[in-house]
Amino acid sequence: MEPRPPFPPDVRAMTAELLALDRTLGARHAAPVALRSVRAVEAAEAAYGADTAISGLADPADLAEFFEVAAWILFDAERHGPSYRLNRRALALTRRLPEEERSIELLVLSVLSMQQAHLMRPRASLRTSSAVLAGRDLPPRVAALFHVRQARAYAQLGSRARALRSLDAAREMSADGPSERDPAWSWWFDRAELDGHHGLVLADLGDAEGAAALLHAAVASDGGPAYRALFAADLARVLARAGAWRETDTLLSALAESAPRMGSVRALNSLRQAVSAVGEGRRVPRALRGTTEDLAGLLARELPRERPGEGEVHHPPTEPTESR
């Protein structure tokens, strides 16, 4: 008889490796490692049975965190099918934990809400974020995060007043900085993150000038994880759609140099949308057309080809997105 593989593989070490890769190189480079790690864990589960995660052979909290990190990376790599599946696995695991150990459930729900908005499913995103905000006494930074998610969904639905009220609530809850109640995983939701998402909400509402100002502020912030290249790419997209050709050319020229190092596939796709917006524009300067032609060729080389089924998300008829 073939010996069964050890269970679990070192889930904590895998999670740490994925976090380090994502922070430094980004999802484009971390995604293949994430998929290999998931296959290793699921092979061990298949050998021992799915309930081993709850029977003590593996810590379910560690396993939930592992699936959440892998799901986030695959989301930023635009591989939404496996990302969605792993987020649902992480969510199911967290809901079997004692109440005091379920903080990561909120992180999973925040990513699910953002993914739903990214895939232009604002009603689903709004259900997810609103259920969390209604369901429990949240730490300030976490509440601010879900108000931002809510604002993006409202903006996509064309509800300007509600979107702006949600942003006001997020600003108010973030005004005093981190609190002792904020979970460790929320470290990345800082002023730059809030500015960037505020800018994206204004862009959805058609306020290109306001969006550009906030995205400029987010881009100017030092440090931050690799995925924040997304804000610079989104700024280029906003400027191009507004016909601000001089600013667009300056920014796209700079981004053309950094694009091969961008780890976020979402950021590269935003750059591609900026290139398309220039191509559809009127009275575009010749120099800018040359810049976008060069950038289009670079993106064709850099963007991964979509694999069958990986860009799709298959949803159940009713999504159990409530926070409890």
Side-chain angles (χ1 to χ4, degrees):
M1 176 182 291
E2 290 284 336
R4 293 191 295 183
F7 187 89
D10 192 340
V11 172
R12 286 189 178 183
M14 287 178 170
T15 301
E17 179 187 16
L18 292 178
L19 285 170
L21 278 173
D22 183 53
R23 189 175 296 118
T24 56
L25 298 178
R28 189 154 57 114
H29 304 283
V33 181
L35 288 171
R36 286 197 299 272
S37 299
V38 168
R39 284 194 292 268
V41 169
E42 292 184 338
E45 284 184 316
Y48 282 91
D51 283 343
T52 53
I54 309 301
S55 68
L57 291 174
D59 186 312
D62 289 343
L63 201 54
E65 182 181 15
F66 166 74
F67 284 133
E68 185 281 324
V69 169
W72 156 258
I73 288 169
L74 293 170
F75 163 64
D76 198 32
E78 299 270 26
R79 299 172 79 164
H80 296 290
S83 171
Y84 185 84
R85 181 179 69 83
L86 293 174
N87 261 324
R88 302 306 301 181
R89 287 215 60 190
L91 196 59
L93 282 166
T94 62
R95 289 175 172 172
R96 299 174 72 169
L97 296 172
E99 186 69 28
E100 64 273 11
E101 298 179 21
R102 287 173 58 179
S103 167
I104 198 172
E105 176 188 8
L106 295 170
L107 176 57
V108 176
L109 287 167
S110 103
V111 174
L112 278 172
S113 182
M114 181 166 57
Q115 183 178 42
Q116 288 159 339
H118 182 68
L119 296 174
M120 297 306 297
R121 302 184 65 247
R123 294 187 187 281
S125 178
L126 186 59
R127 284 195 299 271
T128 302
S129 57
S130 296
V132 173
L133 288 168
R136 62 180 72 179
D137 178 27
L138 299 171
R141 183 179 278 188
V142 175
L145 170 60
F146 279 96
H147 277 293
V148 166
R149 299 285 185 258
Q150 194 178 58
R152 188 77 192 273
Y154 278 135
Q156 289 183 348
L157 291 167
S159 184
R160 181 183 184 84
R162 288 180 175 178
L164 295 179
R165 280 199 298 270
S166 292
L167 287 173
D168 286 343
R171 290 281 176 190
E172 181 179 351
M173 291 173 182
S174 302
D176 294 331
S179 78
E180 292 182 356
R181 294 181 58 212
D182 292 327
W185 58 257
S186 66
W187 64 270
W188 47 267
F189 190 71
D190 57 11
R191 175 65 180 271
E193 190 81 13
L194 179 53
D195 283 345
H197 284 285
H198 192 159
L200 295 179
V201 171
L202 293 185
D204 287 338
L205 292 172
D207 181 0
E209 183 177 351
L214 283 159
L215 288 167
H216 268 299
V219 170
S221 176
D222 293 331
Y227 72 83
R228 281 199 186 156
L230 175 69
F231 292 146
D234 279 327
L235 175 57
R237 178 171 55 85
V238 168
L239 292 171
R241 287 179 175 174
W245 300 136
R246 182 179 299 176
E247 295 91 336
T248 301
D249 195 10
T250 299
L251 184 54
L252 287 181
S253 296
L255 290 174
E257 296 181 10
S258 61
R261 300 187 299 277
M262 279 186 188
S264 170
V265 179
R266 287 185 299 149
L268 291 171
N269 279 331
S270 281
L271 277 182
R272 183 163 60 182
Q273 290 169 20
V275 168
S276 295
V278 172
E280 295 166 4
R282 296 181 178 180
R283 299 180 180 176
V284 178
R286 183 177 300 175
L288 176 55
R289 289 208 181 275
T291 299
T292 54
E293 287 172 6
D294 293 342
L295 187 53
L298 185 151
L299 291 172
R301 295 190 297 273
E302 295 294 333
L303 278 168
R305 294 181 180 178
E306 185 174 306
R307 295 159 178 79
E310 288 192 348
E312 301 175 3
V313 179
H314 302 284
H315 304 277
T318 302
E319 296 184 55
T321 55
E322 294 79 7
S323 63
R324 291 183 182 272

